[in-house]
Amino acid sequence: MFKIKRAFAIMLIMLVALMAACSSSTGNDATKDEPKESGEVERTDIILATTTSTQDSGLLDVLIPMFEEQQPYNVKTVAVGTGQALEMGSRGEADALLVHAPDAEQELVDSEDVVNRQKIMYNDFIIVGPADDPAGIKDAAVAEALTKAFDAKATFVSRGDDSGTHKKELALWKEANLDPAENGSYVETGQGMGSSLQVAAEKKGYILTDRATYLAQKDNLGDFEIMVEGDESLLNIYHVMEVNAEKHEKVKKDGAKAFVEFMIAEDTKKTIADFGVEEYGEPLFFLFE
Amino acid sequence: MELLLQGLRKAIEMILSGDPVILEITWRTLKVSLTAIMISTLIGLPAGMMLGLIKFPGRKLILTLINIGMGLPPVVAGLWITLLLWRSGPLSDFELLYTPTAIIIAQTLVSLPIVTGLTATAFQQINEKLIMQIKALGATKIQLVLILLKESRLAILAGIIAGFGRVIAEVGAAMMVGGNISGETRILTTSIVMEVSKGNFDIALALSFILMTIAFLITFCLTYLQQRKRSQ
Amino acid sequence: MTSLITIENIEIKAGDKPILSVPRFELRQGEVLGVMGPNGAGKSTLLKTLALLAPPGRGSVFFQGQEVGDVLALEVRRKFAVALQQSLLLDTSVYHNIAIGLKLRNRSRKEIKEKVAYWLEVFKISHLSKKHAYHLSGGEAQRVNLARAMILEPEVLFLDEPFSALDFPTKVQLLKDMKQVVENTKTTTVFISHDLVEIKYFTQRLIILMDGEIKQSGPTAEVLSSPNEAAAGFIGEWSELLS
Ligand SMILES: Nc1ncnc2c1ncn2[C@@H]1O[C@H](COP(=O)(O)OP(=O)(O)O)[C@@H](O)[C@H]1O
Ligand SMILES: [Mg+2]
């Protein structure tokens, strides 16, 4: 063959070399399911659909390796919006769900899309705001606090993203018989909890948040304090469940079952109860006694 | 401003300390994006050449579709691929959803039209007489193609650079078809989105610096390759 | 003189419009053939047909008596060289532009080096060897173009208006150099031109092509001084200017 110019040759060689390097290394990824070390059993992938806030808490980064150590499964944790996680369940696109939207979950149980639903833990929502508390809502009951903030036309930041937290917030407004959108000072971010907290800090507004994210972020928020907490309506209850393999044939029944059983095991419970204590001085999740 | 500096410091810290998670994510990002652009090049270059050089019925239509494809929003590509790869979808048996391969497919889909389209444009612009002249110099078909490739390398590399830019910056599709699974499909862009949503702006910023650095380095190499002969 | 290239039954059309219609034509060994005719007469098409750069339609092309089909085309084409009006140099140095044909034939590096040096010398462009082809003047580029063709030591050289874009002094100089080269190498040459002076100076035989047909063919001086009825309309006015 005729000799092509060096630059061109280099280009070709580089392309081919990169190609080879990449295909061999993606090959490694593909074989990831196979035994990592000699003597280890073959692993089956299972898909766990959960919510972004659950993933953001970091709890799964502790639990999943524990589970994978005990069981021959590789968990693919897909963190999406609550709506999408539930939809993945009802379509059989996931094997197990870990979510916190009890009413919506019940619908999946009723339609037999999920089975073996187990109550795992809860954390709670809190209302936080600037330390000077412009609307004077501190320590009030939830409905009262919201009413005060509404009447004072104080800035209230909402995620507005149809997430579990957003749904919770809307339910709380409804209970207080208020339509927050009527207020010009109601801000919808359409973003995740962390970003929304930043917006609230920036705008010196109140916001409903889960405790875990707030604790994780407290240092970045400046003069921010918890205003309302401890009310029963502020609980955020997590359930784990198997997607029904009878109804959705591709669901990996054994893996899903193993995961649910793992989540309610004593060891796991202890890990959940201890999670966050070291870092934040208090737990992020609580067990039902 | 303070946050920016903090992010930059964090980035340097994370790279210097050789944080294995960061290294792994960076390496995967490189692997996935380079594989995608490589596949786009291997398919798009010959396809673009044929579209540019050979006149056949339906060619205009294909070129139009490719031009539309250049603007294909990644999330749309991601959505289509998700629907195809789903357990309930037609390609479910390959079990590709939430794997790096799925991200590669999505990134290939969004970069292929760019590489193909820009290559086709480059070859359409080649003077027909030049082709005749090269044949007259005694070139075989393969030699002709190689010379034309070399003559069009500026435009071709521009296409590859543009395609790579799209691929490395892409997040919507990677999130959707990859699932941002830790240790498996988490890449720099999806990590940035995740860290922002967690409120870890410093880590997000640090990751963004790493992303920009590798994007810069690779684009720089490609641009160098593109420009080196010219300066002689 | 023996026939080097023969074409037969050439009928080339663009849609319904005839472009070239030649029942039979022979290019003879060692001759320098001129081709004249108005714009669009089919001169370039004839050249492409002879040089195996365009399909001959239903007609045939013979090289040294043997019909050239697809199988032989590349082998025979490699015995030819072509230079067009536009120099169409590649995006690289003068040296590599001139070397390209030999590289395509997988010649040794040593041979290429020696021959390039020789032809650079012949065309008086040795000093440009390292220069990028895109930075040449029109005359320099055309010299590179011709050197790129001559280095192939072709059995037939095809020139399609190679001097028409050059200014007068450059043209005269290059024409003289080219005539010298062709005479020294005894290369069979087909030379298309609109310029009577070039034709008169350079060629031995002349054909007049009009509307895709060869209207007259004969020794150059003869055709120019006594064009037949068909060619008169084209040649006649030219000759008046010169006389
Ligand atoms: N690819 C083509 N398609 C259609 N018509 C063509 C093509 N190439 C040349 N022609 C036509 O063929 C005729 C002869 O062209 P050409 O051989 O280039 O003429 P000349 O070189 O004598 O000026 C012209 O009328 C030209 O328009
Ligand atoms: Mg012409």
Side-chain angles (χ1 to χ4, degrees):
Chain A
M1 268 303 304
F2 105 100
K3 275 179 217 129
I4 36 179
K5 274 301 207 342
R6 206 191 306 152
F8 185 58
I10 291 173
M11 183 178 117
L12 271 182
I13 290 167
M14 219 184 85
L15 281 175
V16 172
L18 279 173
M19 185 64 201
C22 292
S23 55
S24 72
S25 38
T26 36
N28 289 344
D29 275 2
T31 55
K32 201 179 160 154
D33 301 345
E34 278 151 38
K36 288 174 193 163
E37 292 148 35
S38 55
E40 205 175 315
V41 278
E42 192 170 320
R43 288 181 173 274
T44 313
D45 285 340
I46 60 169
I47 296 175
L48 169 67
T50 187
T51 67
T52 335
S53 60
T54 311
Q55 166 167 289
D56 290 355
S57 74
L59 177 64
L60 291 172
D61 297 339
V62 179
L63 292 185
I64 298 298
M66 250 174 91
F67 173 67
E68 288 179 348
E69 198 159 292
Q70 295 169 17
Q71 298 280 346
Y73 297 102
N74 175 49
V75 181
K76 288 174 179 274
T77 309
V78 180
V80 289
T82 301
Q84 194 184 337
L86 293 169
E87 185 68 14
M88 283 175 73
S90 72
R91 289 180 162 275
E93 298 297 341
D95 301 300
L97 307 182
L98 177 61
V99 286
H100 44 93
D103 292 346
E105 290 161 26
Q106 189 57 49
E107 282 174 29
L108 292 193
V109 174
D110 293 343
S111 63
E112 295 181 344
D113 283 307
V114 301
V115 291
N116 192 16
R117 175 169 172 253
Q118 302 283 347
K119 211 182 227 183
I120 300 297
M121 63 195 183
Y122 67 90
N123 62 1
D124 60 341
F125 290 111
I126 49 182
I127 297 174
V128 297
D132 56 10
D133 190 14
I137 71 169
K138 191 155 182 145
D139 296 331
V142 177
E144 191 194 340
L146 289 180
T147 311
K148 279 184 174 169
F150 185 87
D151 291 344
K153 296 206 185 320
T155 304
F156 197 100
V157 177
S158 166
R159 284 177 61 172
D161 61 353
D162 212 26
S163 60
T165 311
H166 181 222
K167 283 184 178 148
K168 182 84 199 175
E169 183 211 313
L170 292 181
L172 294 175
W173 284 112
K174 205 169 171 194
E175 273 170 43
N177 283 319
L178 292 169
D179 179 3
E182 280 172 17
N183 231 338
S185 54
Y186 186 67
V187 180
E188 286 189 292
T189 65
Q191 297 184 53
M193 196 70 251
S195 313
S196 300
L197 273 170
Q198 290 290 338
V199 173
E202 207 65 42
K203 295 192 176 292
K204 301 208 180 305
Y206 298 102
I207 182 170
L208 179 80
T209 170
D210 61 284
R211 190 183 290 269
T213 311
Y214 173 69
L215 287 177
Q217 280 231 40
K218 202 163 61 175
D219 295 343
N220 292 335
L221 296 175
D223 249 357
F224 243 54
E225 273 179 17
I226 298 178
M227 296 289 149
V228 182
E229 64 181 328
D231 196 304
E232 191 158 337
S233 63
L234 291 176
L235 290 192
N236 190 22
I237 299 166
Y238 288 74
H239 286 85
V240 67
M241 62 212 81
E242 291 174 42
V243 177
N244 189 355
E246 314 260 290
K247 190 166 174 186
H248 304 285
E249 56 171 322
K250 290 196 173 159
V251 167
K252 298 184 172 129
K253 185 172 174 32
D254 298 341
K257 191 158 192 268
F259 186 73
V260 172
E261 275 165 13
F262 164 80
M263 285 299 287
I264 55 179
E266 282 309 313
D267 267 6
T268 314
K269 283 187 169 175
K270 190 169 160 7
T271 308
I272 293 173
D274 288 346
F275 182 73
V277 175
E278 201 172 311
E279 195 171 345
Y280 307 114
E282 50 185 304
L284 295 186
F285 297 96
F286 307 91
L287 302 171
F288 294 93
E289 295 315 328
Chain B
M1 191 59 214
E2 196 185 322
L3 196 59
L4 268 175
L5 287 176
Q6 204 181 325
L8 193 57
R9 212 176 308 130
K10 184 106 190 167
I12 294 167
E13 212 176 276
M14 287 194 312
I15 294 165
L16 287 186
S17 69
D19 184 332
V21 176
I22 299 295
L23 289 181
E24 183 221 86
I25 291 175
T26 307
W27 176 230
R28 182 176 304 114
T29 306
L30 273 172
K31 247 167 32 186
V32 165
S33 300
L34 287 175
T35 308
I37 194 66
M38 211 82 60
I39 295 172
S40 288
T41 306
L42 287 176
I43 300 172
L45 212 60
M49 265 167 57
M50 289 207 291
L51 283 168
L53 291 177
I54 304 169
K55 295 186 178 72
F56 56 90
R59 172 168 166 265
K60 280 233 174 75
L61 181 71
I62 295 178
L63 285 171
T64 310
L65 290 177
I66 287 173
N67 282 339
I68 294 170
M70 288 199 205
L72 178 70
V75 281
V76 173
L79 181 61
W80 291 349
I81 293 172
T82 307
L83 296 182
L84 289 175
L85 296 183
W86 255 358
R87 285 175 176 174
S88 51
L91 303 179
S92 61
D93 290 342
F94 296 103
E95 301 204 349
L96 288 176
L97 199 57
Y98 309 129
T99 64
T101 310
I103 307 182
I104 292 172
I105 294 173
Q107 294 190 340
T108 303
L109 194 64
V110 296
S111 56
L112 186 57
I114 296 182
V115 176
T116 313
L118 293 185
T119 306
T121 308
F123 277 82
Q124 274 180 300
Q125 283 170 344
I126 291 179
N127 185 346
E128 253 174 75
K129 287 196 175 139
L130 177 66
I131 296 174
M132 189 178 100
Q133 175 71 72
I134 295 168
K135 273 196 205 157
L137 284 164
T140 63
K141 285 214 172 77
I142 295 169
Q143 289 173 332
L144 172 67
V145 163
L146 287 174
I147 293 178
L148 291 180
L149 270 177
K150 211 179 130 235
E151 287 293 298
S152 323
R153 65 186 180 278
L154 276 179
I156 291 172
L157 277 163
I160 296 176
I161 290 170
F164 178 75
R166 188 121 199 258
V167 156
I168 194 91
E170 193 287 316
V171 60
M175 200 65 149
M176 221 179 274
V177 304
N180 188 35
I181 296 168
S182 160
E184 295 185 30
T185 57
R186 189 163 294 172
I187 57 176
L188 283 167
T189 47
T190 60
S191 311
I192 291 172
V193 170
M194 182 186 70
E195 295 300 344
V196 168
S197 107
K198 282 195 207 173
N200 295 332
F201 288 91
D202 54 346
I203 298 181
L205 260 177
L207 292 171
S208 76
F209 286 126
I210 297 174
L211 179 65
M212 276 159 61
T213 306
I214 65 170
F216 170 79
L217 284 177
I218 289 174
T219 309
F220 179 84
C221 290
L222 287 171
T223 310
Y224 178 76
L225 211 60
Q226 185 192 36
Q227 300 295 338
R228 64 183 260 156
K229 261 282 136 48
R230 273 303 151 101
S231 52
Q232 266 200 359
Chain C
M1 276 195 274
T2 54
S3 156
L4 193 57
I5 303 177
T6 306
I7 53 174
E8 276 179 7
N9 303 323
I10 300 295
E11 291 286 344
I12 296 176
K13 289 182 179 163
D16 283 343
K17 196 185 125 208
I19 291 176
L20 189 65
S21 166
V22 180
R24 183 180 167 88
F25 173 77
E26 288 182 6
L27 179 67
R28 298 165 195 160
Q29 175 87 48
E31 73 174 336
V32 178
L33 174 81
V35 181
M36 291 192 86
N39 285 326
K43 304 182 295 293
S44 299
T45 309
L46 174 67
L47 180 140
K48 279 189 251 177
T49 308
L50 288 167
L52 301 171
L53 292 171
R58 255 182 257 154
S60 322
V61 181
F62 299 86
F63 180 73
Q64 291 176 333
Q66 198 179 358
E67 181 162 5
V68 184
D70 287 348
V71 186
L72 269 178
L74 177 70
E75 190 187 312
V76 176
R77 205 169 65 211
R78 285 190 166 180
K79 299 179 199 284
F80 302 160
V82 176
L84 308 176
Q85 177 181 349
Q86 288 166 278
S87 54
L88 297 168
L89 300 180
L90 301 179
D91 181 5
T92 178
S93 68
V94 166
Y95 180 96
H96 286 110
N97 264 287
I98 295 176
I100 182 79
L102 295 180
K103 285 193 195 171
L104 292 170
R105 288 162 177 76
N106 289 323
R107 298 295 172 75
S108 76
R109 195 177 271 256
K110 181 165 166 283
E111 179 189 346
I112 292 175
K113 209 172 155 186
E114 283 166 11
K115 286 195 173 159
V116 173
Y118 175 75
W119 288 102
L120 281 167
E121 187 75 29
V122 170
F123 281 95
K124 302 169 181 151
I125 44 177
S126 298
H127 58 291
L128 299 174
S129 173
K130 292 210 170 85
K131 205 162 175 178
H132 194 282
Y134 288 3
H135 301 151
L136 301 174
S137 72
E140 289 168 343
Q142 203 51 274
R143 281 175 183 272
V144 175
N145 188 22
L146 291 166
R148 174 171 73 171
M150 286 314 297
I151 197 173
L152 301 174
E153 295 162 357
E155 294 192 30
V156 188
L157 175 65
F158 294 94
L159 302 172
D160 192 346
E161 307 183 32
F163 310 124
S164 57
L166 305 178
D167 62 50
F168 200 69
T170 312
K171 181 191 295 203
V172 170
Q173 195 56 55
L174 195 48
L175 188 61
K176 276 161 84 179
D177 291 344
M178 200 58 212
K179 184 174 158 106
Q180 192 81 54
V181 169
V182 167
E183 275 172 7
N184 290 347
T185 53
K186 301 191 178 61
T187 308
T188 309
T189 303
V190 177
F191 178 60
I192 298 177
S193 175
H194 283 302
D195 188 330
L196 274 188
V197 178
E198 290 179 9
I199 291 286
K200 236 173 157 171
Y201 175 73
F202 195 24
T203 70
Q204 298 141 11
R205 187 160 74 110
L206 177 62
I207 60 175
I208 305 298
L209 201 65
M210 294 173 80
D211 301 325
E213 292 172 19
I214 298 177
K215 300 290 186 190
Q216 191 175 6
S217 164
T220 303
E222 205 171 287
V223 174
L224 290 181
S225 59
S226 47
N228 65 17
E229 207 175 316
F234 177 67
I235 294 289
E237 289 169 32
W238 267 98
S239 319
E240 273 169 41
L241 279 182
L242 280 179
S243 55

